[in-house]
Amino acid sequence: MTRIAVVGSNMMDLVTYVTRFPELGETVEAPSFLMAHGGKGANQAVAAAHLGSEVLFVGKVGSDAFGALTLENFRRHGIDARHVGVVADTPSGVAPIFVEPGGENRILIVTGANAMLAPGDVERARAELAEASAILLQLEVPLETVYATVALGVALGVPVFLNPAPARADLDLSRLRGLAFLLPNQSELALLTDKPVTTIAEAEAAARTVIAAGIAAVVVTLGADGALYVTADSVVHVPAPRVTPVDTSGAGDAFIGSFAHHYVATRDVTAALRSAVAYAADSVTRRGTQISYATRSEFDAFLLTSKGS
Ligand code: RIB
């Protein structure tokens, strides 16, 4: 059994499907809305759990209705939430999301209780983290907690995967040495490196500057173009199956949860990339973030019918 620990965020996603955005001072009617569980950390946790990993979550919820619902959501997915703290007098994280007719999204986050996840909370989960096959991190919790978790994972000999999202120019790469994988999307890699990342060649060049700064392996997610894996001495591009997207929000998290699950199960990076691009492609054919993620059997059915995977 693969055991994945996520040290990260949870949010309540408030998703509005728009036909166009209002101008300043204008009101525009939007056709539909949904509220569902999200947050980059929780999304990655749910993707890995759907595929069959045992998942531990280390995080914080607020002392409000969204916090209680989030704990119930973890329980429903079989995710171990013993290390999810409830922060008194603090709201849970929320994410207003706007999705355009082609499926492209814009996301705001209000981190709420996620901002209270401290290095000490991670240290308290040390025994459980030591048992994990991988630790997944994102940047919706404080940077000091991210750095402390990387250091703990390295000390414990557990591979750490960091998804540097949302993008932050102040991320200190020198405090990430020992990471197993850095997994940015194109815009995150562009901000981190101050280089253009609009083509596969540019993504490889930018990833090489991250590697020169001491990170062993970079996986760049390229949306409909799949993913690119770069190390000091190798580069692998894995294309994505063609699908018609209805909502791309949470696709990067679907990719990372799936990649981590398959990588720790097989230690085969290329096979894990193939599975992950297919899992993410399938997710964009449905609305929402976690609620768009396939179960193991749904994903097996998608693989049978998809072309190019
Ligand atoms: O990556 C998608 C996620 O980003 C959403 O679920 C939202 O909550 C924000 O964290």
Side-chain angles (χ1 to χ4, degrees):
M1 169 69 90
T2 49
R3 305 185 74 176
I4 296 199
V6 178
V7 176
S9 60
N10 63 89
M11 307 272 171
M12 188 59 81
D13 287 350
L14 311 169
V15 193
T16 305
Y17 295 89
V18 303
T19 45
R20 71 172 177 88
F21 285 95
E23 301 297 333
L24 204 60
E26 187 192 18
T27 301
V28 172
E29 184 177 347
S32 58
F33 170 85
L34 70 81
M35 183 173 97
H37 294 282
K40 297 181 194 302
N43 293 348
Q44 293 170 22
V46 166
H50 271 344
L51 290 167
S53 280
E54 228 172 58
V55 180
L56 168 79
F57 198 86
V58 180
K60 295 282 190 197
V61 295
S63 54
D64 54 8
F66 289 166
L69 288 169
T70 296
L71 290 172
E72 169 58 19
N73 183 53
F74 284 142
R75 193 200 58 71
R76 214 175 33 249
H77 287 98
I79 293 171
D80 180 348
R82 269 176 295 162
H83 287 283
V84 180
V86 180
V87 187
D89 303 322
T90 302
S92 296
V94 292
I97 300 180
F98 303 91
V99 181
E100 297 178 18
E104 291 304 318
N105 65 78
R106 294 162 203 250
I107 303 179
L108 292 165
I109 57 165
V110 185
T111 56
N114 293 290
M116 308 302 284
L117 186 69
D121 298 309
V122 181
E123 185 56 39
R124 272 187 287 283
R126 171 186 272 263
E128 289 85 352
L129 293 173
E131 298 297 312
S133 330
I135 299 172
L136 311 192
L137 280 165
Q138 320 74 32
L139 300 183
E140 290 178 332
V141 297
L143 274 185
E144 283 307 320
T145 306
V146 170
Y147 298 139
T149 308
V150 172
L152 181 60
V154 171
L156 294 172
V158 178
V160 181
F161 297 46
L162 172 62
N163 170 215
R168 291 187 62 151
D170 59 344
L171 186 66
D172 183 351
L173 292 179
S174 73
R175 298 183 71 184
L176 301 178
R177 295 214 176 97
L179 267 189
F181 296 98
L182 184 78
L183 304 106
N185 67 16
Q186 287 162 275
S187 60
E188 289 149 6
L189 183 61
L191 190 83
L192 264 181
T193 59
D194 202 19
K195 292 193 172 308
V197 183
T198 55
T199 63
I200 292 173
E202 287 176 351
E204 180 183 344
R208 294 218 172 278
T209 68
V210 174
I211 288 163
I215 306 295
V218 180
V219 175
V220 191
T221 54
L222 303 166
D225 290 326
L228 186 74
Y229 169 67
V230 187
T231 65
D233 49 20
S234 65
V235 56
V236 177
H237 174 236
V238 175
R242 294 290 144 211
V243 293
T244 304
V246 299
D247 183 350
T248 58
S249 33
D253 302 324
F255 175 93
I256 290 164
S258 169
F259 176 72
H261 168 82
H262 287 103
Y263 174 74
V264 300
T266 63
R267 301 281 158 175
D268 180 338
V269 172
T270 307
L273 289 170
R274 284 207 189 93
S275 294
V277 295
Y279 193 73
D282 174 57
S283 78
V284 307
T285 65
R286 289 180 288 275
R287 287 184 163 199
T289 54
Q290 290 172 30
I291 55 171
S292 71
Y293 299 168
T295 60
R296 178 79 253 179
S297 56
E298 288 166 345
F299 183 49
D300 289 342
F302 172 77
L303 289 178
L304 282 178
T305 55
S306 74
K307 297 181 178 50
S309 62

